[in-house]
Amino acid sequence: MHEIAVIPGDGIGKEVVPATLEVLERLAEIHGGIKFQFAEFPWSCEYYLEHGEMMPKDGIETLKNFEQIYLGAVGNPQLVPDHISLWGLLIKIRRECEQVINLRPVKSLKGVPSKLASDEPFDFIVVRENSEGEYSEAGGSVHHGGDEIVIQNAVFTRKATERAMRFAFDLAMKRNKKVTSATKSNGIVYSMPFWDKVFHEVGKDYPEVATESNHIDALAAFFVLKPEQFDVIVASNLFGDILTDIGAAIMGSIGIAPAANINLNGNYPSMFEPVHGSAPDIVGKGIANPIGQLWTAKMMLDHMGYDELGDLLMKAIEETTASGVKTPDIGGKSTTAEVIGEVLKRLP
């Protein structure tokens, strides 16, 4: 029995999360030896309007009792400013549950037209340091008016930097044995030369893995021009965030991109979420793309050691898109329910 905390969140999260739970239950039946027990929590912007907080004060202690967290979408700026909703729920969970690695795969899917002119297939994954870097809460402001000064400090520790890099190299050993580092040491004079130094040192422990460093601006261009050349990319918090949105775009839609926030010490659960937002413009229309949430479920299965189930799900997703059963954002005319139904039909 696997106990999973489910947070549908806002907008289309409330539509795609319940739909994909049905697929997870079907996969458990196929396995025959596991069951999922889902506990749903209503934490969202609507919850904030009622309670004055995105989640209860003991929310992290509650989540600690679960094996994994399955998240939908967070945010509705018409109700709650984004900095409140994100820092009150998504980022709070990431930080306090010590989810120090963020993983986001990028690959061309059968039947999903890429935005790129080239039809060369690509398949890579971005390892994003998820605990510090440019998103550190260090800084402040002084003075007012024309003399106002704002300081935002980027904090890079050897512990967190090396941890992300070793994770990337270990992952590359299971894939195609190549790691690309996202840097900007020609413009950021302290943190990025440090990042380069640690990358070089860690790389020495993995002689079988080919390495390269690309400046972030050039790397962003290469994602568009030649994504097929990449295997594993390791990046800081901000750089990884930007690169993975480009990755979602070249796949064809941000609606199909998944993500995993990984806890490595076992003290807290990991969290699995799609990259897409709450998409308030299409809420209630029944056309939200469930593939990002389904692919997120596949990442959760892989993390739990059920790689065969994850592979079955991914195969069913690609067979579904290849058959033309797709939501409008990726060139189809199908509804959310029709896509889920087709995925279920293609599971054994």
Side-chain angles (χ1 to χ4, degrees):
M1 180 67 73
H2 296 289
E3 296 185 344
I4 310 295
V6 177
I7 308 174
D10 296 297
I12 62 169
K14 296 178 180 178
E15 300 175 18
V16 296
V17 167
T20 56
L21 294 183
E22 185 180 354
V23 177
L24 279 166
E25 289 173 339
R26 174 64 188 132
L27 287 163
E29 291 174 1
I30 290 168
H31 184 280
I34 63 170
K35 287 186 179 179
F36 294 111
Q37 183 170 316
F38 300 115
E40 185 172 317
F41 297 93
W43 305 337
S44 63
C45 289
E46 290 179 359
Y47 184 91
Y48 179 89
L49 293 181
E50 185 175 349
H51 300 277
E53 53 190 0
M54 290 295 295
M55 64 189 300
K57 290 179 174 56
D58 63 351
I60 299 298
E61 280 302 307
T62 299
L63 292 175
K64 189 177 179 180
N65 297 317
F66 291 87
E67 190 172 343
Q68 314 295 343
I69 303 167
Y70 191 59
L71 178 69
V74 178
N76 185 340
Q78 294 177 344
L79 299 179
V80 179
D82 279 342
H83 69 280
I84 292 176
S85 60
L86 289 174
W87 282 89
L89 186 59
L90 176 64
I91 296 176
K92 182 179 178 68
I93 295 172
R94 285 179 179 174
R95 295 288 171 89
E96 296 191 29
C97 287
E98 300 175 16
Q99 294 164 352
V100 296
I101 300 292
N102 182 272
L103 285 180
R104 295 186 180 181
V106 180
K107 72 188 293 285
S108 42
L109 293 184
K110 296 174 183 175
V112 178
S114 170
K115 302 297 184 182
L116 302 178
S118 170
D119 58 1
E120 184 81 20
F122 52 86
D123 184 352
F124 60 88
I125 189 164
V126 178
V127 176
R128 171 188 171 195
E129 199 290 312
N130 208 34
S131 67
E132 53 177 35
E134 303 88 348
Y135 290 176
S136 301
E137 298 176 69
S141 61
V142 294
H143 307 310
H144 300 282
D147 293 324
E148 186 175 11
I149 299 171
V150 176
I151 299 171
Q152 177 73 50
N153 293 325
V155 177
F156 287 77
T157 64
R158 174 172 285 273
K159 177 181 178 180
T161 301
E162 184 171 335
R163 179 172 58 202
M165 290 175 177
R166 290 198 179 277
F167 191 98
F169 276 93
D170 288 339
L171 186 59
M173 288 292 291
K174 302 172 187 175
R175 290 173 52 96
N176 296 315
K177 298 183 178 179
K178 180 182 178 181
V179 178
T180 302
S181 169
T183 185
K184 191 56 182 170
S185 50
N186 63 346
I188 303 176
V189 296
Y190 295 115
S191 60
M192 285 295 105
F194 167 76
W195 176 276
D196 293 350
K197 179 180 73 171
V198 177
F199 182 69
H200 178 70
E201 292 172 356
V202 172
K204 290 180 179 178
D205 293 337
Y206 298 83
E208 299 173 59
V209 178
T211 62
E212 65 178 3
S213 291
N214 289 160
H215 292 304
I216 182 65
D217 44 347
L219 187 53
F222 294 154
F223 266 34
V224 175
L225 296 173
K226 45 184 179 180
E228 68 279 358
Q229 76 170 9
F230 297 112
D231 180 28
V232 176
I233 294 100
V234 63
S236 66
N237 214 332
L238 174 62
F239 289 176
D241 198 3
I242 294 169
L243 287 173
T244 50
D245 275 8
I246 298 173
I250 65 173
M251 282 197 290
S253 170
I254 201 167
I256 64 176
N261 301 280
I262 305 298
N263 171 277
L264 296 178
N265 61 25
N267 294 331
Y268 294 93
S270 295
M271 179 167 64
F272 301 84
E273 52 164 332
V275 174
H276 66 68
S278 59
D281 57 318
I282 61 169
V283 169
K285 296 182 179 180
I287 57 171
N289 194 334
I291 290 177
Q293 195 76 51
L294 284 169
W295 197 346
T296 294
K298 181 254 195 277
M299 294 187 77
M300 183 171 73
L301 292 168
D302 291 344
H303 180 71
M304 295 169 69
Y306 299 117
D307 302 68
E308 290 184 5
L309 291 182
D311 290 344
L312 278 178
L313 176 52
M314 200 68 209
K315 183 172 181 286
I317 290 170
E318 291 209 65
E319 287 179 354
T320 296
T321 54
S323 74
V325 180
K326 301 179 293 186
T327 48
D329 61 308
I330 52 174
K333 297 181 179 179
S334 303
T335 64
T336 306
E338 287 168 343
V339 173
I340 292 293
E342 189 67 22
V343 169
L344 286 169
K345 280 200 309 186
R346 292 179 180 277
L347 291 173

